[in-house]
Amino acid sequence: MYDVVLLTLGSERDAPGGCGSGGACCGGATEAQNDPTDPTGQTEPTGQTDPTSQADPTSQADPTGQTTRADGDAERCATERPRVPVLACADALVARGARVETVTARSDAEIDAVLARLDGPARPDGLTWPDLDGKTRLVVATASDGQLRAVLRRLVRRYAPAPSRRPADLPGNRTLPDLPPVAVLPLDPARGGTHRDLAAQLGLPRDPAAVAAAVLDGTARRLDLLRNDGGSVTLDGALLGAADDAGRPLHWRARVEVDDAILTNGDEPLLACAVGNAGGYATLDDVTLLTAPDPTDGQIEVAVAVPVVVRSALGRKRVRLEVRRARGRAVSVLPREGKVPYLDDGVEGELTRKRSWWIEPGAWAVWSI
């Protein structure tokens, strides 16, 4: 028999990005405040449980099993009761004999309290490590890819060891162990259509009963993860660039380097740059940026769109859009001027200094039928 935790993030219902999107969870600290990279560029050690991993003493459980807060934060959050898909999934799990608890987390600390249930036995080196053979399974109910990312970000923060404590049993191409599988329960049916979320791209079940079946009878499908030096993670991809009020793309400059290949040195204007683990940002309007992003191939696909002026045989000038692509294990983007807006797993941000992403092959996993 499995113990299953149905985790919902208590941000405003269906808000883009949701928990960990800059406003963190409702009642929680912002992502910037929890960013382990300080302004000097130094990254604090991760891996051993940090103080925020303890259960919030102001939290309590109501009779439905949903977490509420005694300090009034519940009044500022839209999710008072579990959503219908969550209840349907819980019913399907209970009917199969699972012990089910529904939890709404409104801060990183409350997410960490749930993730602590996935810890493995104590290790001689003192590191906190996941129990991949445990009987506790996690279902993350998500209204957006940003919410799923928020949970994976906390998993990474919990289990990734500091470089000085790197154990000998960690694979050479990884900075963290295999993370425990999670099941994904999409709360937005529309994201399975034209504007596909990550669950749709991966072909994961969307029906609550099918999600329950995947949790209890499915297999763990391992996927690549992108970490970055801003202290966060990327599951799908990132799109850098901006447009004016009329929707026209604005030019910007940056040095973009994939492993040893330089896609642009920062001297020419760019319209967009796509960093892909999966295919969420494969196209921009009618332009194909990424040709074959694959979250299981151990590589990042990167593309830049560069407007190039060419002359016809009659000497007339016209602008042609040139797309340059490269694949590798890591990418860095160094803005040359001002701020560069971006979307990362649907979460908005601004890049003001160099940002690097690198691949962690097979680091995370989803329950799949």
Side-chain angles (χ1 to χ4, degrees):
M1 180 183 295
Y2 290 108
D3 293 314
V4 181
V5 181
L6 270 164
L7 175 63
T8 302
L9 302 188
S11 59
E12 289 216 349
R13 187 169 296 175
D14 295 337
C19 187
S21 64
C25 303
C26 185
T30 66
E31 182 166 336
Q33 290 169 329
N34 284 287
D35 191 336
T37 305
D38 67 26
T40 66
Q42 301 300 315
T43 302
E44 72 182 26
T46 61
Q48 189 63 14
T49 306
D50 61 72
T52 65
S53 298
Q54 304 302 316
D56 189 336
T58 64
S59 299
Q60 59 187 13
D62 68 18
T64 67
Q66 184 180 13
T67 299
T68 58
R69 288 178 60 90
D71 60 4
D73 281 347
E75 295 179 1
R76 298 196 294 271
C77 294
T79 309
E80 294 85 10
R81 296 291 178 186
R83 297 281 299 275
V84 171
V86 176
L87 296 174
C89 187
D91 289 344
L93 289 165
V94 170
R96 296 283 305 279
R99 292 184 294 260
V100 180
E101 180 182 1
T102 60
V103 177
T104 298
R106 297 184 176 88
S107 69
D108 284 344
E110 292 176 350
I111 296 176
D112 293 342
V114 171
L115 301 183
R117 308 182 197 190
L118 306 177
D119 289 354
R123 288 169 54 100
D125 56 14
L127 292 175
T128 302
W129 222 247
D131 185 1
L132 299 182
D133 298 320
K135 293 299 182 181
T136 298
R137 295 194 169 179
L138 176 64
V139 180
V140 183
T142 64
S144 67
D145 289 341
Q147 290 189 337
L148 179 61
R149 183 184 79 158
V151 176
L152 265 295
R153 180 173 176 266
R154 298 312 297 176
L155 277 173
V156 169
R157 186 174 178 85
R158 185 172 190 83
Y159 295 125
S164 61
R165 302 188 65 190
R166 180 184 176 89
D169 57 342
L170 195 62
N173 62 348
R174 292 262 293 276
T175 65
L176 67 160
D178 285 352
L179 299 177
V182 301
V184 181
L185 175 61
L187 297 178
D188 185 359
R191 295 301 303 279
T194 304
H195 302 288
R196 300 192 305 163
D197 57 14
L198 187 60
Q201 293 181 56
L202 297 174
L204 300 179
R206 305 185 76 85
D207 176 74
V211 173
V215 171
L216 300 179
D217 303 325
T219 57
R221 179 182 173 189
R222 301 220 66 87
L223 302 166
D224 301 335
L225 178 73
L226 297 183
R227 293 191 68 183
N228 67 57
D229 56 4
S232 191
V233 300
T234 300
L235 309 179
D236 187 349
L239 180 65
L240 294 86
D244 61 19
D245 292 339
R248 294 182 294 265
L250 300 175
H251 291 179
W252 52 283
R253 288 175 170 80
R255 179 184 175 91
V256 181
E257 191 170 358
V258 182
D259 291 352
D260 295 327
I262 299 175
L263 293 181
T264 175
N265 61 12
D267 294 335
E268 56 194 341
L270 300 178
L271 292 184
C273 173
V275 177
N277 186 37
Y281 299 111
T283 61
L284 180 62
D285 295 330
D286 58 347
V287 178
T288 298
L289 297 176
L290 307 175
T291 57
D294 182 352
T296 64
D297 66 358
Q299 289 191 311
I300 308 171
E301 184 175 0
V302 182
V304 294
V306 184
V308 178
V309 177
V310 296
R311 291 181 179 273
S312 67
L314 299 177
R316 295 176 181 173
K317 294 182 180 179
R318 65 181 181 88
V319 177
R320 174 176 61 85
L321 193 61
E322 178 180 297
V323 179
R324 304 170 190 166
R325 304 179 181 92
R327 302 173 67 85
R329 293 187 59 189
V331 57
S332 65
V333 179
L334 175 61
R336 290 301 193 192
E337 54 192 11
K339 301 177 181 179
V340 180
Y342 67 85
L343 289 173
D344 191 326
D345 284 344
V347 180
E348 296 180 357
E350 288 185 332
L351 201 62
T352 58
R353 58 181 181 178
K354 185 178 180 180
R355 172 63 50 83
S356 297
W357 289 263
W358 67 90
I359 199 81
E360 299 277 346
W364 74 293
V366 292
W367 290 112
S368 180
I369 297 175

